[in-house]
Amino acid sequence: MILILLGPPGAGKGTQAKLLASKLQIPHISTGDMFRDHKARGTELGKTVDAIMSSGGLVPDDVTNAMVKDRLSRPDVAGGFILDGYPRTTAQAGFLDQVLVSMGRKLDRAVSYEIAQELLVDRMSGRRSCPTCGAVYHVTANPPRTAGACDREGAALVQRDDDKAETVARRLREYDSKTEPLKRYYHERGSLSEVAGTGAPDEVLAAALRVLGRAS
Ligand code: ADP
Ligand code: ADP
């Protein structure tokens, strides 16, 4: 199954992508995680995207598209995959269409997580992640067993620098102007399903599995 997860920053795409990947046994491909990994490793790409990400802007389409095309050339995507945070612009969506054609594959569904804007700021400001394993928590909605420490690794949890209040506002504006129009793009192609992003993560997962015809 080939899935795209759409939704504003903080909607729960990463959380849902991990749950879906485990349920459907297909890889979770997050462009945000890939960029953060490049930054952490200090690669040339990481240096290119660092300031853009910290300011809450979008990485240029050609840079992002090249990274995704390369990722989709790996053999583990043969049984399907979940794209989280890509595409984010209409140009990226058009590029992905071409890549899928060249692979002889077809998108199954673009799932859009719907959530009121007021809730997003709290979701982002409370988000903490493990620098070692990437596990994502929320200080109140999904806290670790010991405050500030990863359940699995024990490592001190960190806040993303782009989850600070000043950057969050820019990211929400970028979403509204550049990414939200993709809902129409996929709706016109008959591929869009909207799912409520509120409720507990397992309820959101169940709603997505229903629209995907995978309810158990
Ligand atoms: P969130 O999960 O909060 O929506 P992501 O982890 O997906 O955030 O993305 C973090 C940042 O990485 C974005 O603000 C942007 O700078 C960059 N980024 C991620 N995916 C893309 C993309 N498809 N196109 C351009 N920039 C991207
Ligand atoms: P995105 O990838 O769309 O930016 P995340 O999956 O990283 O979103 O979630 C943003 C924050 O909200 C995280 O702190 C996460 O733990 C929390 N979160 C995710 N899903 C839910 C939910 N259904 N209810 C409450 N909090 C949630």
Side-chain angles (χ1 to χ4, degrees):
M1 184 172 285
I2 297 180
L3 299 178
I4 290 171
L5 305 191
L6 293 173
K13 301 180 298 298
T15 302
Q16 292 301 316
K18 289 191 182 92
L19 295 171
L20 284 166
S22 155
K23 175 86 187 169
L24 303 173
Q25 289 294 299
I26 51 177
H28 164 204
I29 300 175
S30 157
T31 43
D33 285 349
M34 291 167 81
F35 286 137
R36 279 186 289 277
D37 181 56
H38 276 280
K39 272 173 61 169
R41 288 187 289 121
T43 67
E44 278 310 308
L45 177 58
K47 287 177 197 149
T48 307
V49 302
D50 193 358
I52 301 171
M53 288 175 76
S54 299
S55 72
L58 292 186
V59 175
D61 288 334
D62 55 343
V63 175
T64 309
N65 286 339
M67 182 178 75
V68 170
K69 187 175 181 190
D70 180 61
R71 178 65 184 84
L72 295 182
S73 69
R74 285 182 23 195
D76 67 338
V77 301
F81 52 91
I82 301 169
L83 287 170
D84 157 19
Y86 180 93
R88 253 179 161 92
T89 63
T90 329
Q92 291 180 13
F95 181 84
L96 176 64
D97 284 346
Q98 286 172 27
V99 173
L100 290 176
V101 168
S102 73
M103 294 168 75
R105 309 286 292 272
K106 236 178 125 281
L107 174 70
D108 287 283
R109 209 112 276 275
V111 178
S112 174
Y113 294 99
E114 302 298 313
I115 177 164
Q117 187 124 337
E118 309 86 82
L119 298 176
L120 295 174
V121 176
D122 171 69
R123 287 230 181 148
M124 281 185 270
S125 62
R127 173 162 48 193
R128 299 289 183 275
S129 52
C130 174
T132 309
C133 71
V136 174
Y137 300 88
H138 188 278
V139 287
T140 52
N142 175 30
R145 282 192 294 272
T146 307
C150 179
D151 289 348
R152 269 180 260 168
E153 309 285 337
L157 300 179
V158 294
Q159 181 174 28
R160 275 168 47 178
D161 64 350
D162 62 346
D163 274 344
K164 311 260 161 78
E166 20 346 321
T167 321
V168 158
R170 164 117 193 254
R171 287 165 62 209
L172 290 171
R173 283 199 304 276
E174 291 281 79
Y175 172 79
D176 284 341
S177 64
K178 297 179 182 156
T179 310
E180 215 268 345
L182 289 185
K183 284 171 61 180
R184 182 175 182 153
Y185 183 95
Y186 289 110
H187 175 70
E188 285 173 355
R189 285 157 180 76
S191 306
L192 184 75
S193 291
E194 294 181 330
V195 165
T198 43
D202 56 346
E203 290 166 356
V204 179
L205 173 69
L209 290 172
R210 274 197 297 278
V211 302
L212 297 174
R214 292 294 182 100
S216 51

